[in-house]
């Protein structure tokens, strides 16, 4: 009955010498440390900025606006970059965050911290529901669905009396635990949120959760075969993404102490946030940062031509899609990556380049039918 | 010996095509069982039913005697079943190491602990990484750990698939044409690996394969299906001389 002879199995080719990965692992750890050093340097610059001589409140205000956009873009990049789902409706989450905190502040005189938590949670909860509703959608249908969501939010804030439509809601000056804060204080609040969100994104992407997101993005079948619960992880991705963008919305309302449907009833925010991650790059940490700076600073730099900003954004978007589809951050990071690749190769890393098309093909295997 | 995976009277229709037409099979624990049949016989479809990727129009699947028709696809790995695909399904943009680690997804800490990098979650992560490296060593993939899956040649991609399935610590593994497209040398190597998995780790194997010399030498028992229905079953030596089987395969050639 035993068909396979034990001799067959024992007579194995001699055990090849074990591949030594330690040099590569060490190098990769070093690169990681360099990344952290870079991030900490940027953070130190950002902390020092308002203290520089000659920096005034309005400048801190402008940079805080950039920071808010970066946070919003980080929210959407969780979805676009790591789960491969496109959202054209993240302005909706921005609005939900902004209105939640504004109403709490107006009626209960809460401070920004409570606003941030409740605005984020509210947006996260709506994101969770949306994730469930859009479970079966992907690609263009997902884009249309999320766009519909942004329109829906716009209609609600325009028409439901609680949100006071175009009249808008004026907010008292900003407080953190009963302390009033000015432009510079607000700058530091925004920077703190940005730092926390960045740290969280970093950890999440490098955990089993980030791996599951990317697995669903790359092959839903293989992900499910590996035990990744598609429903669970898609809703987690939506919730986290909405939570982060919702917090950006809270800050966006409080920074001008005023919100109205004129601003949040439109889909421009949705478009701007998406443009930020597409231009900056969605699957790298620096992407939302560069994209956020681009989207906010462009109108400023054009000064009296600011009305043309939206045309120029469109032009840049198209150029990026053609010449740097992975985003500007990817292009800027290329010299560093090339240098690191060289170091890795020197350490003996196999460094496989893409093989010729026929051998890498993931398409159907040629079934060799042998007759018994 | 006990039955590990069993299905009864599985029927699957795709519109007018009846891909499975009342197929039954019973995989005994600790064995290597082959599922063979001409192209289009319904082998992959049956695999999809067994692994909950495809809902059957009729019939039942039992894993260790328990019906699994209520379980979702992603739960199967928790019940000790892992599989590979005939058409490679890898995470192309990720490294071999990450591909293997995803296979161990159900062994990771819960999502919240994981993404907040809680100490236990990090400890589990390190442990699973060490295991992933061990699995890679067993499959001679260790030099590919840091390479992107999409850059590997075909034969190695097939092996990464197998490694990913093994990372789940399965008790039974379903392999859909594991050596298709591999050369003779690679085939022999994989054949030895599969035999070792079965012998040393006690993993039950259900195998679809067109490479008859491999099937005949490695399998303890064979099921032959044709046009979605059982045609024959038995030990390889008997199947080799079975008239119906020979006719089915020769018939296909005409
Ligand atoms: N999703 C589907 N929709 C329609 N028909 C399908 C589908 N999947 C399989 N079929 C049909 O079902 C039959 C069985 O296909 P299946 O892939 O299970 O065969 P197989 O035995 O795995 O063949 P091969 O040896 O070529 O892999 C074929 O006729 C195929 O065309
Ligand atoms: Mg098949």
């Amino acid at each position: 009955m035993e068909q396979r002879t034990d001799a067959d199995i024992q007579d194995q080719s001699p055990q090849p010498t074990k591949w030594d990965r330690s040099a590569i692992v060490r190098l990769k750890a070093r690169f990681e440390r360099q990344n952290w050093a870079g991030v900490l340097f940027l953070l130190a610059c950002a902390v020092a900025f308002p203290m520089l001589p000659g920096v005034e409140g309005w400048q801190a205000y402008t940079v805080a606006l950039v920071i808010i956009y970066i946070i919003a873009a980080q929210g959407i990049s969780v979805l676009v970059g790591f789960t491969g789902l496109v959202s054209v409706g993240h302005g909706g989450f921005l609005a939900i965050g902004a209105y939640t905190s504004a109403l709490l502040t107006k009626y209960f005189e809460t401070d920004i911290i409570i606003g941030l938590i409740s605005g984020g949670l509210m947006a996260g909860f709506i994101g969770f529901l949306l994730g469930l509703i859009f479970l079966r959608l992907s690609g263009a249908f997902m884009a249309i669905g999320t766009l519909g969501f942004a329109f829906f939010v716009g209609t609600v804030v325009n028409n439901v009396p609680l949100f006071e439509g175009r009249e808008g809601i004026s907010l008292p000056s900003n407080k953190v635990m009963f302390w009033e804060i000015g432009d510079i204080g607000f700058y530091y609040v925004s920077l703190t949120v940005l730092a926390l969100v960045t740290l969280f994104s970093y950890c999440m992407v490098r955990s089993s959760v980030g791996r599951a997101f990317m697995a669903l993005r790359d092959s839903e079948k293989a992900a499910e075969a590996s035990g990744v619960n598609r429903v669970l992880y898609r809703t987690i991705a939506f919730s986290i993404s909405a939570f982060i963008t919702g917090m950006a919305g809270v800050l966006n309302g409080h920074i001008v102490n005023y919100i109205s449907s004129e601003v949040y009833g439109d889909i421009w925010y949705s478009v701007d946030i998406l443009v930020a991650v597409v231009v900056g790059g969605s699957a790298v940490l620096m992407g939302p940062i560069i994209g956020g700076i681009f989207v906010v600073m462009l109108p400023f730099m054009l000064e009296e031509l600011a009305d043309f900003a939206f045309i120029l954004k469109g032009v840049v978007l198209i150029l990026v899609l053609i010449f740097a589809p992975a985003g500007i951050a990817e292009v800027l990071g290329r010299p560093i990556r090339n240098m690191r690749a060289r170091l890795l190769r020197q350490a003996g890393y196999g460094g496989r380049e893409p093989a010729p098309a026929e051998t890498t093909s993931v398409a159907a295997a040629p079934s060799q039918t042998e007759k018994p | 010996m006990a039955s590990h995976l069993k299905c009864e009277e599985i029927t699957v229709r795709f519109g007018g095509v009846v891909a499975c037409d009342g197929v039954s099979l019973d995989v005994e624990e600790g064995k290597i069982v082959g599922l063979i049949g001409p192209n289009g016989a319904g082998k992959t479809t049956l695999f999809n039913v067994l692994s909950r990727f495809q809902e059957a129009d009729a019939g039942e699947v039992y894993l260790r005697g328990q019906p699994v028709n209520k379980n979702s696809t992603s739960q199967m790995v928790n019940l000790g079943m892992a599989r590979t695909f005939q058409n490679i399904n890898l995470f192309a943009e990720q490294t071999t190491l990450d591909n293997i680690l995803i296979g161990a997804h159900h062994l990771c800490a819960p999502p919240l602990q994981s993404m907040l990098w809680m100490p236990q979650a990090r400890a589990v992560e390190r442990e699973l990484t060490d295991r992933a490296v061990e699995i890679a060593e067993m499959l001679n993939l260790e030099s590919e750990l840091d390479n992107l899956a999409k850059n590997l040649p075909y034969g190695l991609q097939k092996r990464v698939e197998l490694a990913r399935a093994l990372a789940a610590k399965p008790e039974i593994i379903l392999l859909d044409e594991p050596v298709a497209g591999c050369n003779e040398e690679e085939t022999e190597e994989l054949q030895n690996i599969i035999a070792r998995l079965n012998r040393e780790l006690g993993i039950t194997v259900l195998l679809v394969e067109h490479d008859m010399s491999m099937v005949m030498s490695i399998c303890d028992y064979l099921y032959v299906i044709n046009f979605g229905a059982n045609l024959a079953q038995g030990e390889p030596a008997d199947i080799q001389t079975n008239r119906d089987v020979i006719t089915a395969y020769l018939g296909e050639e005409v």
Side-chain angles (χ1 to χ4, degrees):
Chain A
M1 100 160 248
E2 274 287 292
Q3 268 289 324
R4 55 198 155 102
T5 57
D6 277 358
D8 266 1
I9 299 160
Q10 269 147 17
D11 160 49
Q12 278 163 21
S13 44
Q15 206 64 36
T17 47
K18 288 250 167 78
W19 174 262
D20 184 14
R21 258 181 96 231
S22 57
I24 294 169
V25 171
R26 266 201 311 277
L27 262 179
K28 289 200 162 173
R30 194 167 100 201
F31 298 158
E32 202 87 315
R33 282 198 302 276
Q34 289 169 352
N35 288 348
W36 276 110
V39 168
L40 287 178
F41 173 73
L42 283 182
L43 184 64
C45 292
V47 170
F49 170 71
M51 299 180 224
L52 296 179
V55 172
E56 291 168 37
W58 69 270
Q59 287 161 321
Y61 165 87
T62 310
V63 180
L65 265 185
V66 176
I67 290 176
I68 292 169
Y69 261 78
I70 295 173
I71 298 168
Q74 275 177 332
I76 200 174
S77 86
V78 170
L79 215 54
V80 177
F82 297 102
T83 54
L85 301 171
V86 176
S87 166
V88 195
H90 256 52
F93 296 122
L94 205 77
I96 289 168
Y99 275 94
T100 304
S101 176
L103 290 172
L104 283 175
T105 309
K106 184 179 168 195
Y107 291 108
F108 303 102
E109 290 170 24
T110 53
D111 74 342
I112 293 191
I113 310 270
I114 293 181
L116 278 168
I117 295 169
S118 43
L121 284 178
M122 180 61 97
F125 176 67
I126 304 286
F128 168 78
L129 294 182
L130 213 62
L132 279 183
I133 295 169
F134 291 162
L135 213 52
R136 303 247 158 257
L137 299 187
S138 61
F141 295 102
M142 178 63 99
I144 293 166
T146 48
L147 185 64
F149 161 70
F151 275 125
F152 176 76
V153 172
T155 311
V156 169
V157 297
N158 263 315
N159 295 302
V160 175
L162 176 68
F163 302 111
E164 308 192 24
R166 302 194 144 238
E167 284 288 299
I169 304 172
S170 291
L171 301 173
S173 54
N174 294 312
K175 276 196 222 126
V176 172
M177 323 262 265
F178 312 108
W179 281 302
E180 283 206 10
I181 53 170
D183 282 335
I184 293 189
F186 196 88
Y187 172 91
Y188 282 116
V189 171
S190 308
L191 188 62
T192 310
V193 175
L194 175 66
L196 289 176
V197 166
T198 306
L199 182 66
F200 170 76
S201 300
Y202 179 91
C203 293
M204 189 218 36
V205 168
R206 283 160 189 74
S207 75
S208 68
V209 175
R211 243 186 353 246
F213 287 167
M214 289 186 268
L216 283 171
R217 175 192 71 190
D218 289 355
S219 167
E220 235 169 55
K221 264 183 159 181
E224 288 201 274
S226 309
V228 177
N229 184 331
R230 185 169 153 280
V231 177
L232 177 67
Y233 280 90
R234 261 180 96 154
T235 46
I236 290 180
F238 252 99
S239 311
I240 292 177
S241 176
F243 181 90
I244 296 174
T245 302
M247 288 202 297
V250 173
L251 295 172
N252 205 43
H254 282 285
I255 194 170
V256 288
N257 295 318
Y258 172 73
I259 65 172
S260 81
S261 67
E262 199 156 351
V263 176
Y264 293 96
D266 216 320
I267 60 151
W268 287 116
Y269 271 124
S270 302
V271 175
D272 263 0
I273 306 170
L274 186 60
V275 168
V277 289
V278 174
V279 169
S282 55
V284 273
L285 223 50
M286 284 303 288
I289 297 180
I290 291 170
I293 294 173
F294 165 75
V295 166
V296 180
M297 294 316 285
L298 191 66
F300 273 92
M301 290 187 307
L302 292 176
E303 291 176 0
E304 62 266 36
L305 292 175
D307 285 347
F308 291 100
F310 78 101
I311 300 179
L312 208 60
K313 271 181 208 164
V315 172
V316 172
L317 181 64
I318 291 167
L319 289 177
V320 166
L321 284 176
I322 294 173
F323 295 108
I328 292 175
E330 197 263 352
V331 176
L332 294 181
R334 223 172 261 170
I336 299 180
R337 264 202 317 283
N338 287 343
M339 194 187 73
R340 288 178 173 179
R342 210 170 44 241
L343 288 173
L344 280 172
R345 268 197 299 278
Q346 282 165 6
Y349 159 74
R352 275 184 191 276
E353 301 304 325
E358 28 338 323
T359 48
T360 44
S361 157
V362 199
S367 288
Q368 354 164 286
T369 315
E370 274 178 32
K371 316 296 175 243
Chain B
M1 273 263 215
S3 153
H4 198 152
L5 177 65
K6 189 162 101 174
C7 68
E8 280 170 358
E9 302 286 319
I10 297 292
T11 299
V12 178
R13 294 184 205 91
F14 296 112
V17 182
V18 185
C20 290
D21 191 3
V23 195
S24 304
L25 57 79
D26 191 347
V27 180
E28 226 178 272
E29 199 172 333
K31 299 278 168 163
I32 301 183
V33 175
L35 174 63
I36 61 173
N39 286 116
K43 305 179 294 294
T44 298
T45 307
L46 185 61
F47 256 39
N48 288 343
V49 170
L50 295 174
S51 57
R52 300 286 300 144
F53 270 84
Q54 168 77 49
E55 210 63 60
D57 293 304
E60 274 290 352
V61 179
Y62 302 91
L63 192 62
R64 293 194 189 285
Q66 299 296 315
V68 294
N69 58 347
K70 295 280 189 296
N71 291 100
S72 70
T73 318
S74 59
Q75 276 170 351
M76 294 313 285
V77 83
N78 294 308
L79 301 177
M81 180 196 282
R83 70 165 291 180
T84 64
F85 295 90
Q86 178 174 355
N87 307 328
I88 296 179
N89 271 302
L90 282 177
F91 309 109
E93 299 293 336
Q94 299 180 58
T95 62
T96 299
L97 179 63
D98 280 333
N99 269 275
I100 301 176
L101 276 173
I102 294 166
H105 178 80
H106 75 114
L107 303 170
C108 292
L112 195 62
Q113 293 182 17
S114 246
M115 62 189 170
L116 295 179
W117 276 24
M118 308 271 253
Q120 316 103 292
R122 296 310 288 171
V124 173
E125 191 81 9
R126 274 191 298 277
E127 203 177 291
L128 291 176
T129 307
D130 289 346
R131 252 196 81 234
V133 173
E134 273 168 32
I135 290 172
E137 280 167 355
M138 182 165 75
L139 300 188
N140 293 335
L141 280 170
E142 67 267 29
S143 60
E144 307 293 344
L145 279 169
D146 301 288
N147 289 325
L148 293 188
K150 65 174 181 186
N151 293 344
L152 301 185
Y154 185 82
L156 290 182
Q157 289 189 350
K158 288 235 108 165
R159 221 178 283 183
V160 175
E161 270 231 329
L162 179 58
R164 183 192 63 215
L166 286 177
K169 286 196 181 165
E171 292 164 356
I172 181 167
I173 188 164
L174 275 53
L175 306 174
D176 199 348
E177 307 203 8
V179 303
C182 292
N183 63 30
E184 237 168 83
E185 206 177 312
E186 291 169 331
T187 302
E188 203 187 312
E189 204 179 333
L190 268 171
Q191 179 177 331
N192 288 333
I193 288 168
I194 294 168
R196 263 179 65 196
L197 296 178
N198 176 251
R199 244 186 8 169
E200 292 171 15
L201 304 177
I203 300 175
T204 310
V205 179
L206 177 60
L207 175 83
V208 166
E209 191 45 72
H210 283 295
D211 183 331
M212 282 309 146
S213 65
M214 168 176 176
V215 167
M216 292 301 162
S217 66
I218 199 177
C219 291
D220 300 310
Y221 201 81
L222 288 180
Y223 284 89
V224 189
I225 62 174
N226 194 19
F227 298 116
N230 289 77
L231 181 69
Q233 66 187 71
E235 279 161 26
D238 301 334
I239 294 297
Q240 247 164 333
T241 54
N242 185 308
R243 296 204 67 84
D244 292 340
V245 177
I246 295 169
T247 323
Y249 272 88
L250 290 179
E252 192 215 9
E253 207 175 31
V254 177

